[in-house]
Amino acid sequence: MNLTPVLSANWDQERSWTLDAYEAQGGYQAVRKALAMEPDAVIQLVKDSGLRGRGGAGFPTGNKWGFIPQGDGKPHYLVVNADESEPGTCKDMPLLLASPHTLLEGIVISSYAIRANQAFIYVRGEVLHIVRRLQAAVADAYAKGYLGKGVFGTGYDLDVVVHAGAGAYICGEETALLDSLEGYRGQPRLRPPFPAVAGLYASPTVINNVESIASVPAIVAGGADWFRKMGTEKSPGFTIYSLSGHVTRPGQYEAPLGVTLRELLDLAGGVREGHRLKFWTPGGSSTPLLTAEHLDVPLDYEGMQSAGSMLGTKALQIFDETTCVVRAVQRWTEFYAHESCGKCSPCREGTFWMVQIFDRLERGTGTEEDITTLLDVCDNMFGRVFCALGDGATSPVVSSIQYFRDEFVAHFTERGCPFDPTASTLFAAAGARG
Amino acid sequence: MALSEKTRAEAREIIARYPQPRSALLPMLHLCQAEEGYVTPDAIALCAEELGLTKAEVAAVATFYTMYKREPVGDYHVGVCTNTLCAVMGGDAIFAALKEHLGVGNDETTDDGKVTLEHIECNAACDFAPVVMVNWEFFDNQTPESARQLVDRLRAGDPPMPTRGATLCTWREAARVLAGFYDGRADEGPSAGPETLVGLKLARERGDSAPAMERGAE
């Protein structure tokens, strides 16, 4: 397996976040090429590349753009989803910290393609320095004529606003993000109509993840065939895999889609010394847990689906045998309960009651019936809610019971959690400093 | 206390950034926190007046988002990630250690008004777990001991540099940046942390790269 740094290739350059450093590495060349093409040709190129949305759902980016009605007389909008909040997911924030201009170049190309004159970057608020880097990058791009009236000396106008959120996981859901950007509580909308027809201010809107838009300049520069030299037929291209948890060298690994966790773990020095893999998430907590038996399943959209999970955000959270799966899923469930927007009853009530059940399970006062109730609650949530938050909340619960039912049972037969939480900490080896 | 005319003028600047005025509401609430430290009834009134909304409509939004506070916050907001991965890696131990060390519970402020402690959700830095945020700046790879030293320095008026960020500003100054008023500090701090670069470094060592682009490729 070959690593394929494209998005990350300039991250170790001196002052990589600045416009000058970005241009010295060949930045803002692809946009000139794109602006000399017809907008429809840019859409076609992205369609041909097979780029699929990197925010989790994997919807083909070019197709999304193609749904925007043209000649409708309404303003069009591009909204970049930089609300990275899915537990375990940590790829977009380092990209924006190190190279905000990669995103800006992608924004100019993408906005031109869908004929939008206004773009928004909706960035989560809890990342102050990343907000600064974006603000500075946008200001520098305006000063250089790369944004604003007649960008790059063409007749095309584009304004970009950096919009900081205020702490709500649900705003990563694209229609909740739009409500939030319009100044409302972030609650998802019923679809149809889809955002491509009636999105921001009821106008045609494309919402794409940071990594999706940041991949566009390389696709324009290299071409669709070049992009397809990496990855698989149905999941082409390079992508950023984020390894975290009980792994020797956690971090960002940019590789072709379709690599396996075994290959990535080899590069990352394996599970931390003296321990073995217990469970992992392929793409954040909303993707069903997998185990050591799935180490050789390709990390692409099809591979993860065949294993009963999802590729999601490629956030590979690694947990070794010291970790209590009940505690882990309890905490995720508390997260979903905290972040449920409250609009749909099955999610609002289901996450609330699952927290109560997990609390007694972890304390050792649960029963066999609690496990049945958890599965029943999940059955009543999945597919019965407006958005993916409710569906996602069921993923760790159902999959953990599927693979570790005995461990749930052990919590009440042993009248308590059989694990020592100290053993799973990073500083356990150093004698639990503290 | 009524908000200043400067804040009102800046709220109007924010409104002018957007095609429709109501989009300015979130940054306006950040701006109000920048002046008063939290979202006060006067702040809600100001936003309602400027946007032609009812106070109930503004309050409904302000209470939905966790970054808007209903009570005063210390100079330094210390957020300990206790979502699953950070919790397992030591976040729970760090949060417990800080509660004991500072003598405060969740969402409470020390008597000297310096530090507000809160457990927070995933902050997108899992490769640096366990993570502590101070005024939304990253303090990576923390331990209970390092976190205690961190808050001691905050209370002593000697704030350390974030791992990946700029010289710490106060809670209110941070809120001003989030409202869209850039403070000129983007050039401080590194491009990346070591974990961010681990794959790139390995690719260089191994001679790995993406396929070469053909000249004139389309």
Side-chain angles (χ1 to χ4, degrees):
Chain A
M1 193 266 286
N2 219 22
L3 288 165
T4 52
V6 176
L7 294 172
S8 59
N10 64 329
W11 291 358
D12 61 349
Q13 300 300 306
E14 187 81 16
R15 292 167 58 85
S16 64
W17 63 88
T18 61
L19 194 150
D20 287 348
Y22 183 65
E23 286 203 305
Q25 296 290 313
Y28 288 118
Q29 292 303 312
V31 64
R32 292 179 162 88
K33 185 171 163 182
L35 291 172
M37 296 163 66
E38 286 299 318
D40 284 341
V42 180
I43 295 178
Q44 191 59 46
L45 171 62
V46 175
K47 277 186 185 170
D48 291 345
S49 76
L51 173 67
R52 297 175 65 169
R54 301 296 195 235
F59 193 82
T61 303
N63 291 14
K64 214 177 204 184
W65 296 4
F67 293 148
I68 295 288
Q70 296 301 340
D72 56 344
K74 288 184 179 176
H76 298 174
Y77 297 103
L78 176 72
V79 178
V80 176
N81 185 344
D83 194 48
E84 182 168 64
S85 312
E86 170 73 15
T89 307
C90 51
K91 64 190 179 67
D92 297 333
M93 294 305 112
L95 187 156
L96 294 175
L97 187 69
S99 191
H101 286 283
T102 309
L103 176 69
L104 284 190
E105 183 172 13
I107 286 174
V108 180
I109 298 170
S110 308
S111 301
Y112 172 74
I114 64 163
R115 299 160 175 92
N117 298 111
Q118 173 82 59
F120 294 91
I121 303 169
Y122 188 105
V123 58
R124 65 181 301 180
E126 306 98 321
V127 287
L128 185 63
H129 206 50
I130 288 153
V131 173
R132 282 194 190 102
R133 290 252 162 109
L134 282 168
Q135 289 171 338
V138 167
D140 290 347
Y142 268 103
K144 196 116 190 213
Y146 294 177
L147 292 176
K149 289 269 172 224
V151 303
F152 292 92
T154 67
Y156 172 63
D157 304 337
L158 178 64
D159 285 309
V160 174
V161 169
V162 177
H163 184 93
Y169 166 68
I170 186 63
C171 294
E173 197 281 332
E174 63 177 18
T175 61
L177 188 154
L178 292 177
D179 264 29
S180 179
L181 183 52
E182 290 183 1
Y184 293 85
R185 299 162 75 98
Q187 294 192 316
R189 301 174 178 176
L190 191 60
R191 284 154 288 195
F194 287 92
V197 177
L200 187 65
Y201 313 130
S203 288
T205 302
V206 163
I207 306 154
N208 279 137
N209 168 258
V210 167
E211 188 187 345
S212 309
I213 295 292
S215 298
V216 169
I219 291 169
V220 169
D225 291 342
W226 169 80
F227 189 71
R228 285 184 169 279
K229 284 182 186 169
M230 292 166 275
T232 64
E233 195 197 334
K234 288 184 175 169
S235 300
F238 50 82
T239 196
I240 301 171
Y241 291 98
S242 311
L243 269 78
S244 62
H246 293 134
V247 55
T248 307
R249 283 188 293 277
Q252 310 299 324
Y253 296 80
E254 194 172 359
L257 278 164
V259 300
T260 65
L261 181 60
R262 190 185 301 282
E263 291 171 317
L264 287 170
L265 272 178
D266 279 350
L267 293 175
V271 171
R272 67 174 175 159
E273 201 178 347
H275 296 277
R276 58 182 171 75
L277 178 63
K278 180 174 176 180
F279 63 92
W280 55 288
T281 68
S285 56
S286 301
T287 59
L289 302 178
L290 295 173
T291 67
E293 70 180 276
H294 306 105
L295 272 169
D296 296 309
V297 182
L299 290 166
D300 58 22
Y301 301 98
E302 295 70 35
M304 285 299 104
Q305 206 174 354
S306 73
S309 189
M310 293 179 290
L311 184 63
T313 55
K314 304 152 285 121
L316 302 151
Q317 303 175 89
I318 310 295
F319 297 93
D320 70 20
E321 84 292 347
T322 63
T323 314
C324 171
V325 78
V326 178
R327 176 186 172 213
V329 179
Q330 175 186 20
R331 194 57 60 86
W332 280 321
T333 303
E334 288 169 354
F335 164 76
Y336 289 110
H338 182 248
E339 300 298 333
S340 173
C341 77
K343 184 165 186 164
C344 307
S345 305
C347 173
R348 182 185 65 243
E349 299 300 317
T351 54
F352 172 83
W353 285 107
M354 288 205 295
V355 168
Q356 316 304 313
I357 295 170
F358 267 106
D359 184 53
R360 57 179 180 257
L361 278 171
E362 179 66 2
R363 280 191 287 109
T365 57
T367 63
E368 184 80 40
E369 196 188 347
D370 282 334
I371 302 176
T372 312
T373 308
L374 281 177
L375 292 174
D376 189 44
V377 170
C378 288
D379 194 41
N380 281 295
M381 282 171 65
F382 189 87
R384 291 176 167 81
V385 287
F386 270 40
C387 84
L389 189 149
D391 290 348
T394 69
S395 291
V397 178
V398 174
S399 58
S400 62
I401 296 173
Q402 178 187 350
Y403 295 118
F404 300 101
R405 192 183 186 103
D406 290 350
E407 198 169 307
F408 280 76
V409 172
H411 274 72
F412 48 80
T413 56
E414 297 182 25
R415 317 234 27 106
C417 177
F419 290 85
D420 169 15
T422 315
S424 58
T425 64
L426 195 65
F427 32 88
R433 276 171 287 159
Chain B
M1 188 188 79
L3 284 95
S4 67
E5 281 310 306
K6 176 171 175 266
T7 293
R8 189 175 291 275
E10 286 177 338
R12 289 176 185 166
E13 270 182 56
I14 296 173
I15 293 168
R17 288 181 205 147
Y18 294 92
Q20 295 193 7
R22 185 165 177 161
S23 281
L25 182 51
L26 266 65
M28 284 167 71
L29 288 165
H30 284 306
L31 181 72
C32 292
Q33 286 208 142
E35 178 168 347
E36 300 196 291
Y38 65 111
V39 176
T40 62
D42 286 336
I44 286 171
L46 181 143
C47 293
E49 279 167 33
E50 291 300 321
L51 294 172
L53 301 172
T54 65
K55 285 188 271 190
E57 284 171 315
V58 174
V61 173
T63 52
F64 183 83
Y65 296 93
T66 53
M67 289 176 76
Y68 301 131
K69 302 301 178 192
R70 312 285 290 164
E71 288 173 33
V73 174
D75 289 342
Y76 299 102
H77 174 270
V78 175
V80 181
C81 178
T82 57
N83 200 300
T84 298
L85 189 118
C86 273
V88 165
M89 302 291 283
D92 277 356
I94 291 169
F95 188 61
L98 289 186
K99 275 197 290 191
E100 192 195 345
H101 189 65
L102 295 170
V104 297
N106 183 48
D107 226 358
E108 290 179 5
T109 304
T110 52
D111 290 339
D112 59 6
K114 294 285 187 197
V115 171
T116 300
L117 181 67
E118 188 181 4
H119 66 77
I120 59 169
E121 299 299 358
C122 184
N123 222 94
C126 316
D127 43 344
F128 300 97
V131 172
V132 172
M133 307 295 296
V134 179
N135 292 345
W136 307 119
E137 295 271 22
F138 293 106
F139 286 81
D140 299 332
N141 298 315
Q142 293 294 298
T143 66
E145 185 51 36
S146 68
R148 276 191 290 257
Q149 288 171 8
L150 168 62
V151 296
D152 284 348
R153 288 187 60 181
L154 295 176
R155 298 180 80 183
D158 174 33
M161 276 297 282
T163 321
R164 293 172 291 138
T167 310
L168 276 183
C169 58
T170 64
W171 169 255
R172 294 184 189 203
E173 288 165 344
R176 190 175 162 77
V177 175
L178 298 176
F181 295 95
Y182 175 54
D183 64 2
R185 287 175 161 175
D187 287 343
E188 292 185 37
S191 291
E195 285 83 347
T196 308
L197 299 175
V198 70
L200 178 61
K201 203 171 153 215
L202 195 62
R204 297 210 198 288
E205 283 165 19
R206 289 158 46 107
D208 284 1
S209 63
M213 290 183 188
E214 287 169 35
R215 288 199 168 277
E218 205 57 57

